[in-house]
Amino acid sequence: MPTDHASSNGSAVVDTGEGDTLQGQEKKKGHGNHKEDSPFLNSNESSAKKNDFYDKNLALFEEELDIRPKVSSLLSRLVSYTNVTQGAKEHEEAENADASRRNVPESPNMGTLMGVYLPCLQNIFGVILFLRLTWIVGMAGVVQSFIIVVMCCACTMLTAISMSAIATNGVVPAGGAYFMISRSLGPEFGGAVGLCFYLGTTFAAAMYILGAVEIFLKYLVPQAEIFQSTDMHGGDTAMLNNMRVYGSICLSLMAVVVFVGVKYVNKLASLFLICVMISILSIYVGAVKSSFHPPEFPICMLGNRTLVWDRFDTCAKTVMEGNATVPSQLWRKFCGSGNATSLQCDDSYFNENNVTQIQGIPGLSSGVIRDNMWANYLDKGQILEKASMAAVDARGAIENFGLYVSADIATSFTLLVGIFFPSSTGIMAGSNRSGDLKDAQRSIPVGTILAIATTSLVYMSSVVLFGGCIEGVVLRDKFGDAVRKNLVVGTLSWPSPWVIVVGSFFSTVGAGLQSLTGAPRLLQAIAKDNIIPFLRVFGHSKANGEPTWALLLTGFIAELGILIASLDMVAPILSMFFLMCYLFVNLACAVQTLLRTPNWRPRFKYYHWALSFLGMSMCLALMFISSWYYAIVAMGIAGVIYKYIEYQGAEKEWGDGIRGLSLSAARYALLRLEAGPPHTKNWRPQLLVLLKLDEDLHVKYPRLLTFASQLKAGKGLTIVGSVIQGNFLDSYGETQAAEQAIKNMMEIEKVKGFCQAVVAAKVREGITHLIQSCGLGGMKHNTVVMGWPYGWRQSEDPRAWKTFINTVRCITAAHLALMVPKNVSFYPSNHERFTDGHIDVWWIVHDGGMLMLLPFLLKQHKVWRKCKMRIFTVAQMDDNSIQMKKDLATFLYQLRIEAEVEVVEMHDSDISAYTYERTLMMEQRSQMLRQMRLSNAERDREAQLVKDRHSMIRMGSLYSDEEEDSLEAEAAKIQMTWTVEKCEAEKRMRTNAPENFRELISIKPDQSNVRRMHTAVKLNEVIVNRSHDARLVLLNMPGPPRNTDGDENYMEFLEVLTEGLERVLLVRGGGREVITIYS
């Protein structure tokens, strides 16, 4: 059972000086210099008058005036203070009973080839190789294209190495990349990156479908177009609408195939991959054949401009019909059909330049690679020109623009990076389906790295072959308009362009199916982890294990991508999501490697943290190279998801690397803090809140925690402590229950911090242990808050207030600050708002600036924000009150604290009869209680109390150990054997009792007590007069007397000092400055 003990609350403090002393002494450099940290304390000035210690109005503080000077003394030194520049000094949760009883359908057990290598090849080779790589080489040139390919492939290879290390560090169930990131970096990062990767995979399906539709409509069945362009400039819009219609149909068909089952997708995968391999092989064979027998694909040039060949039949201005020369179809397109006999044309460029025909595929041995070596970026609408051909620069007719091959979008190196990168993003295809793999730890590394190596070689060799075999203007022709609407890469293939067209079509369809298979499984894995509540419905699957709901959502999102309808616009979006995922895979591997966590034992040994950091850096660079605004948007989406998961409180303990990183960072920071005490400017309030629990382990005064939350506003360290009296071996369960009760209350009151309950044989020892040992290293408390021992006057048991005073002494000895909220039940809750009122500070002695700082911190909270601050200080007869007020106002101005200033003059006055009477009553009560404890009538009652207290010892208030010892001694007396001598002594004591009471009546109060009572009464009169309507009164708390005989009187003085005030906060500084006048 818990014992009640003084509760305590947190206080926050503002840092003091850069190390500047008010005494005007020389400044010392160095961190932790006491004179820098305590510029206003421990003054050695010999000019202090001895009678300062014996002011009648400050008698309560006289024993500490040497270390806590009067405010007037402080302010007088402030005047001569100069501003001298200072020296720079999851465990995974077991399947629940319901899940274990269900018959879980068996997933296909696939090996490395079918499960990882082939899906990766399909995704990587997908669409860019066949539809865009020739165009990229034409625009960027062989050199820059090679750089783009190497950058992207190196990034994915480094990521694959990191992924292999993570994948072989334990079992990887369904979810692949998401599982690896979340278990390595925690649920917040895992959820954020996992969802981004899911979106990327889903949009990838849209991109592959758009690629398939583009091949179908432009190269396979151009007659299938639904929307036709009405003029030569409206072709783009009609094409986009065709893409949307056919893309939606294709998506629906693919979704049905995936819905039927993953086994069918895998069966189709083999067929699709065969098509891919045949297509790639035909490219290599065609490139070799071109060196000695180039294919016949002529292109028509007007001057140095490339013409769209499918709009005319013959590449010539005139043709021979019989023996007559007549205008060709090309001439009629440029010049119109009128006046054909005159052979006159209104198009100046057509008139001035010749029409020539050149070879579109010169072949490897032609040396065309020299012309294709360097970049040739174009603006949108710019006509494709061959720079080495001569041409007369003349103005052509605008209506003939559609006859030239022109750039459909503006190009640049960064744009091409963003478009190409998705072609290397299939590396996660195998890990996405890790739940279907027989041995994921072996298959994922081997299959992925082999797939990347294979595709990288194909890409790099393709760049060189394309640049060395194909004419530059053909390379820059995205849709093959110059080669009679043939797929450009198909013109190089052998034996026919149809091999590439059919092969690339099946390749893109297969890649789309793989993406539609992997994305729903990824979403299902995220949903099953229950870290994002609104996704929970997508964790369900149908009888055969297929994630039906996740597939529906994936189809809907992919449809959004298809509605964009442009392959070149969708590709950079994918790049962002995939790059972000790869970045965090590298980060996860690097963090785990550097932390050397005991569980980090990958079977894959060929990794290093430096490689992971290099991969991470390349991912970040590629994100901003390809599209800085897309990168920011993608990061924003990930950040929103991260904060949402954090806000929802994803209470998953997966042993992730971020937790380990936090521990390492905490250790590093704590070791740094050990270097020395914090400089005054770095001083922060670190609270130890001592709480009292009742017999049911409920917090007795929750408003203490409310006050702490208002004071701290979530900043700094807060430790909430409590003492359980008893034996630790027997009370461990109660300790856990007590800590949980405190944590629940801390959550209700929005107190962010730590909880510690200790078990001790004696309560006083437990409190002392908390004061000494709470915290770790440099992160220890510097301020203690505890509750007032209510009802100490009415109780004949002195243990509560004796423990209170003993705690005050321990806190003072430990050089900690102390706050005692009195009448804490009247303090406002976090839901109340003060719309007006004052926070009054009664600054009687200076002990570090706590009184200045606390109102400022309270006013940061919405409860106290509209309260105004008033500072009162006391002037004696020999003080210049006008100068004090001016100096105090200057001091507050330098502290940047807004407050009203008032100096209260307390004239020396004779000790009143009321003061004398209060002192007399106090001493008589103390004497009477001492005699009552010794009286015979009280002994029997005391014996019973001993039994009662032993039965209730675990739920009593804070007791003094000395009193417990005395109780045991008195109990022993009752059990003693009576002798004749002892019986006579007892009789004499009874006859002397009336004399003792006569002494009680004739007692004369001690003069020091009279002076202290005089101070308490006078100060209380002034405070009540000025601050009776204040929302909160802050007051210097006098220290307990050095002589322990006057402890009970000390409690009386504090009661008198605070009488008539609704909310009082008694404050003692910790012996150092906490606020500064410097920036």
Side-chain angles (χ1 to χ4, degrees):
M1 300 288 291
T3 8
D4 298 339
H5 42 78
S7 325
S8 45
N9 246 351
S11 68
V13 234
V14 165
D15 309 332
T16 59
E18 270 273 354
D20 312 311
T21 61
L22 274 180
Q23 293 91 340
Q25 38 196 335
E26 288 191 13
K27 313 300 181 289
K28 297 185 179 182
K29 297 181 181 180
H31 187 68
N33 186 308
H34 180 69
K35 290 186 178 180
E36 290 187 352
D37 292 348
S38 305
F40 306 133
L41 299 180
N42 301 321
S43 170
N44 298 323
E45 287 194 7
S46 58
S47 60
K49 301 176 183 178
K50 190 171 181 60
N51 60 7
D52 279 353
F53 298 104
Y54 300 104
D55 279 322
K56 291 179 181 179
N57 293 321
L58 296 180
L60 278 176
F61 305 93
E62 63 186 19
E63 292 184 348
E64 297 180 312
L65 282 176
D66 53 341
I67 59 171
R68 288 173 162 81
K70 291 193 307 178
V71 175
S72 58
S73 303
L74 171 83
L75 294 174
S76 65
R77 291 197 295 273
L78 181 68
V79 175
S80 58
Y81 185 55
T82 58
N83 178 10
V84 179
T85 305
Q86 297 307 296
K89 281 169 82 174
E90 174 183 252
H91 314 291
E92 291 301 320
E93 297 179 3
E95 289 183 355
N96 57 38
D98 296 336
S100 63
R101 283 195 292 267
R102 282 203 301 263
N103 291 324
V104 180
E106 290 188 11
S107 297
N109 291 323
M110 294 182 289
T112 303
L113 184 66
M114 288 296 296
V116 180
Y117 184 73
L118 298 186
C120 284
L121 283 184
Q122 278 186 316
N123 277 282
I124 296 173
F125 280 145
V127 63
I128 302 297
L129 170 63
F130 301 113
L131 293 185
R132 292 292 183 270
L133 189 55
T134 53
W135 175 70
I136 290 173
V137 173
M139 291 296 181
V142 174
V143 174
Q144 291 190 21
S145 298
F146 200 83
I147 293 173
I148 292 173
V149 172
V150 169
M151 284 171 56
C152 296
C153 292
C155 178
T156 53
M157 180 61 82
L158 292 172
T159 303
I161 293 172
S162 298
M163 184 184 71
S164 299
I166 300 172
T168 57
N169 189 51
V171 178
V172 181
Y178 160 71
F179 182 89
M180 290 185 288
I181 295 172
S182 62
R183 270 53 174 183
S184 298
L185 296 178
E188 294 88 359
F189 277 113
V193 181
L195 272 184
C196 283
F197 188 52
Y198 163 74
L199 292 173
T201 307
T202 305
F203 274 100
M207 182 186 75
Y208 295 131
I209 292 172
L210 288 174
V213 173
E214 182 179 312
I215 295 170
F216 179 78
L217 290 177
K218 280 197 171 287
Y219 311 114
L220 278 175
V221 191
Q223 301 81 10
E225 291 184 350
I226 299 174
F227 301 93
Q228 303 290 335
S229 58
T230 55
D231 55 41
M232 64 178 63
H233 300 291
D236 289 346
T237 303
M239 186 61 189
L240 292 179
N241 290 330
N242 286 318
M243 298 277 282
R244 293 183 180 110
V245 173
Y246 280 99
S248 300
I249 296 172
C250 187
L251 173 63
S252 302
L253 294 175
M254 286 186 180
V256 171
V257 173
V258 173
F259 180 77
V260 171
V262 68
K263 290 182 291 187
Y264 299 100
V265 175
N266 295 329
K267 289 177 181 178
L268 290 171
S270 304
L271 173 64
F272 294 152
L273 190 65
I274 291 172
C275 295
V276 173
M277 302 313 294
I278 292 175
S279 300
I280 294 173
L281 189 62
S282 72
I283 294 173
Y284 284 100
V285 173
V288 173
K289 178 178 175 291
S290 71
S291 62
F292 55 86
H293 190 278
E296 286 294 328
F297 279 100
I299 57 176
C300 188
M301 308 291 294
L302 176 61
N304 62 356
R305 296 180 180 179
T306 312
L307 297 176
V308 180
W309 195 306
D310 70 325
R311 293 184 180 271
F312 52 90
D313 51 3
T314 307
C315 184
K317 289 186 178 182
T318 60
V319 293
M320 294 296 295
E321 289 185 3
N323 294 324
T325 302
V326 297
S328 67
Q329 187 180 7
L330 177 63
W331 190 93
R332 291 186 176 92
K333 290 284 185 183
F334 272 95
C335 305
S337 57
N339 197 19
T341 57
S342 65
L343 294 180
Q344 293 296 318
C345 187
D346 297 332
D347 192 309
S348 301
Y349 190 86
F350 185 81
N351 282 331
E352 299 292 335
N353 290 278
N354 296 324
V355 175
T356 55
Q357 184 174 302
I358 63 173
Q359 184 60 276
I361 312 293
L364 268 177
S365 58
S366 65
V368 72
I369 193 170
R370 289 191 294 271
D371 298 330
N372 295 332
M373 191 67 69
W374 310 111
N376 192 355
Y377 296 116
L378 301 176
D379 293 326
K380 183 177 181 179
Q382 189 173 343
I383 298 173
L384 272 61
E385 298 177 348
K386 182 175 173 61
S388 61
M389 292 184 67
V392 177
D393 189 12
R395 184 176 182 84
I398 189 66
E399 59 268 16
N400 295 330
F401 178 79
L403 295 170
Y404 299 108
V405 181
S406 60
D408 63 332
I409 59 172
T411 52
S412 64
F413 179 82
T414 57
L415 175 76
L416 298 184
V417 170
I419 291 177
F420 177 78
F421 188 81
S423 68
S424 57
T425 57
I427 66 170
M428 294 289 187
S431 63
N432 283 348
R433 298 164 47 164
S434 53
D436 298 327
L437 297 174
K438 186 175 183 179
D439 183 3
Q441 291 193 41
R442 179 182 177 276
S443 297
I444 290 176
V446 174
T448 305
I449 291 177
L450 281 178
I452 294 174
T454 303
T455 54
S456 298
L457 288 173
V458 169
Y459 281 139
M460 288 186 283
S461 60
S462 296
V463 167
V464 176
L465 289 177
F466 293 159
C469 295
I470 305 176
E471 177 61 53
V473 289
V474 179
L475 287 174
R476 291 188 286 278
D477 182 5
K478 184 187 292 186
F479 301 113
D481 292 330
V483 285
R484 299 182 182 272
K485 295 290 185 180
N486 278 298
L487 182 62
V488 173
V489 69
T491 60
L492 183 62
S493 64
W494 180 91
S496 166
W498 285 100
V499 176
I500 294 289
V501 172
V502 175
S504 60
F505 177 76
F506 284 116
S507 167
T508 51
V509 170
L513 283 173
Q514 294 289 348
S515 296
L516 282 178
T517 302
R521 281 169 163 71
L522 180 59
L523 181 62
Q524 185 183 40
I526 299 172
K528 281 185 174 180
D529 272 337
N530 199 25
I531 58 173
I532 306 177
F534 65 82
L535 292 181
R536 197 172 303 157
V537 66
F538 300 107
H540 304 304
S541 57
K542 64 176 184 177
N544 66 351
E546 292 301 312
T548 310
W549 290 105
L551 179 60
L552 288 174
L553 180 65
T554 302
F556 175 76
I557 297 174
E559 177 64 22
L560 296 179
I562 287 172
L563 292 178
I564 296 175
S566 172
L567 188 69
D568 301 321
M569 292 179 65
V570 174
I573 299 175
L574 308 191
S575 299
M576 294 307 110
F577 290 130
F578 282 123
L579 280 167
M580 185 171 297
C581 179
Y582 297 168
L583 185 151
F584 281 100
V585 169
N586 284 297
L587 175 62
C589 180
V591 166
Q592 298 278 33
T593 306
L594 290 175
L595 290 178
R596 295 189 179 93
T597 52
N599 189 55
W600 180 246
R601 303 183 299 275
R603 289 207 182 104
F604 181 82
K605 303 297 181 184
Y606 308 102
Y607 69 93
H608 193 271
W609 65 265
L611 292 176
S612 299
F613 268 116
L614 179 60
M616 187 174 67
S617 303
M618 289 186 68
C619 289
L620 192 63
L622 285 172
M623 286 179 70
F624 282 91
I625 285 174
S626 55
S627 176
W628 63 268
Y629 45 90
Y630 276 172
I632 293 173
V633 171
M635 288 180 172
I637 292 173
V640 169
I641 299 170
Y642 178 95
K643 295 305 291 184
Y644 174 78
I645 297 174
E646 187 180 54
Y647 173 76
Q648 286 293 324
E651 299 192 4
K652 301 282 184 183
E653 174 50 62
W654 289 332
D656 53 84
I658 293 297
R659 179 67 58 90
L661 183 62
S662 299
L663 290 172
S664 296
R667 171 183 170 274
Y668 174 78
L670 287 171
L671 290 174
R672 289 289 304 271
L673 288 174
E674 281 288 343
H679 192 279
T680 303
K681 290 182 67 175
N682 293 326
W683 193 94
R684 287 183 177 276
Q686 321 292 2
L687 303 184
L688 171 59
V689 182
L690 298 175
L691 274 191
K692 179 190 291 187
L693 302 181
D694 60 19
E695 56 187 0
D696 296 324
L697 298 178
H698 295 145
V699 177
K700 197 165 185 180
Y701 298 111
R703 283 296 166 85
L704 280 171
L705 289 175
T706 307
F707 176 70
S709 69
Q710 294 170 4
L711 190 62
K712 295 304 293 298
K715 303 296 189 296
L717 174 71
T718 301
I719 304 173
V720 181
S722 188
V723 177
I724 308 295
Q725 187 171 5
N727 187 306
F728 179 73
L729 299 177
D730 302 328
S731 305
Y732 180 75
E734 294 177 40
T735 305
Q736 297 299 304
E739 287 190 353
Q740 190 57 49
I742 294 173
K743 286 177 182 177
N744 293 339
M745 187 55 67
M746 290 171 67
E747 188 173 347
I748 292 171
E749 298 296 340
K750 295 181 173 57
V751 176
K752 293 183 180 180
F754 308 97
C755 168
Q756 185 168 358
V758 300
V759 179
K762 297 177 181 179
V763 177
R764 187 177 71 182
E765 291 180 359
I767 295 175
T768 305
H769 293 160
L770 284 172
I771 292 172
Q772 292 182 82
S773 60
C774 276
L776 181 65
M779 281 297 285
K780 295 179 70 69
H781 55 279
N782 51 32
T783 304
V784 180
V785 187
M786 64 177 183
W788 179 260
Y790 301 104
W792 69 271
R793 277 174 169 166
Q794 290 73 31
S795 174
E796 296 176 0
D797 189 351
R799 285 176 285 190
W801 58 263
K802 282 201 171 185
T803 300
F804 173 82
I805 295 176
N806 181 73
T807 306
V808 175
R809 287 197 172 101
C810 291
I811 293 168
T812 303
H815 300 289
L816 302 175
L818 169 66
M819 287 186 292
V820 181
K822 203 162 178 282
N823 304 327
V824 73
S825 56
F826 293 109
Y827 278 55
S829 70
N830 284 326
H831 304 292
E832 296 181 42
R833 302 284 189 280
F834 288 139
T835 56
D836 55 8
H838 294 90
I839 299 176
D840 286 357
V841 175
W842 284 84
W843 194 22
I844 302 168
V845 293
H846 179 71
D847 57 356
M850 286 279 287
L851 286 172
M852 303 291 133
L853 184 60
L854 295 179
F856 171 79
L857 295 173
L858 281 173
K859 280 168 61 64
Q860 307 305 306
H861 195 275
K862 55 191 175 184
V863 172
W864 304 91
R865 187 166 294 144
K866 294 188 178 179
C867 292
K868 295 182 179 179
M869 184 174 165
R870 295 189 301 194
I871 297 181
F872 299 90
T873 190
V874 177
Q876 305 299 317
M877 283 294 292
D878 55 347
D879 293 328
N880 186 340
S881 60
I882 297 175
Q883 187 62 38
M884 277 184 67
K885 183 173 183 178
K886 186 184 299 182
D887 295 342
L888 180 56
T890 302
F891 185 48
L892 290 176
Y893 177 79
Q894 293 173 337
L895 288 176
R896 291 89 64 200
I897 291 178
E898 295 182 5
E900 298 177 22
V901 176
E902 194 163 341
V903 176
V904 179
E905 295 183 359
M906 292 185 64
H907 303 291
D908 287 342
S909 60
D910 294 333
I911 295 170
S912 65
Y914 171 74
T915 300
Y916 193 87
E917 184 180 350
R918 286 292 296 260
T919 310
L920 184 59
M921 288 172 60
M922 175 184 71
E923 295 193 356
Q924 285 178 343
R925 179 181 179 277
S926 300
Q927 182 68 19
M928 184 168 62
L929 286 174
R930 279 195 292 269
Q931 290 181 0
M932 286 175 65
R933 294 192 192 107
L934 299 174
S935 67
N936 188 46
E938 193 67 10
R939 280 190 190 159
D940 296 335
R941 183 181 174 200
E942 196 66 36
Q944 185 61 40
L945 279 174
V946 170
K947 296 176 183 176
D948 293 343
R949 284 179 189 133
H950 277 298
S951 63
M952 299 175 64
I953 194 75
R954 299 167 69 87
M955 51 189 237
S957 57
L958 295 178
Y959 296 153
S960 161
D961 299 336
E962 293 154 359
E963 287 296 322
E964 290 167 9
D965 297 338
S966 67
L967 286 176
E968 293 170 5
E970 289 176 9
K973 289 179 184 178
I974 298 167
Q975 304 296 330
M976 69 184 179
T977 303
W978 288 86
T979 62
V980 177
E981 292 81 3
K982 290 178 180 177
C983 186
E984 291 297 327
E986 181 66 18
K987 289 179 181 179
R988 286 197 299 274
M989 182 177 290
R990 289 179 182 179
T991 57
N992 290 337
E995 296 179 8
N996 292 336
F997 282 105
R998 281 194 291 273
E999 292 176 6
L1000 190 64
I1001 295 171
S1002 61
I1003 193 172
K1004 290 187 178 181
D1006 181 75
Q1007 286 303 308
S1008 65
N1009 286 339
V1010 173
R1011 288 190 295 107
R1012 286 177 167 83
M1013 183 61 78
H1014 177 73
T1015 296
V1017 170
K1018 294 288 289 181
L1019 281 175
N1020 178 255
E1021 288 178 0
V1022 174
I1023 294 171
V1024 170
N1025 183 43
R1026 302 295 182 96
S1027 302
H1028 62 277
D1029 58 347
R1031 299 296 188 184
L1032 179 65
V1033 176
L1034 284 80
L1035 182 63
N1036 285 113
M1037 181 178 180
R1042 291 170 185 169
N1043 183 0
T1044 58
D1045 293 339
D1047 283 359
E1048 191 171 7
N1049 298 337
Y1050 170 72
M1051 296 298 296
E1052 187 68 33
F1053 295 144
L1054 292 182
E1055 287 284 9
V1056 172
L1057 188 61
T1058 58
E1059 271 182 354
L1061 297 172
E1062 184 180 18
R1063 300 184 193 93
V1064 184
L1065 182 63
L1066 297 170
V1067 181
R1068 279 178 65 77
R1072 63 165 296 156
E1073 295 293 342
V1074 298
I1075 198 166
T1076 178
I1077 62 178
Y1078 292 98
S1079 59

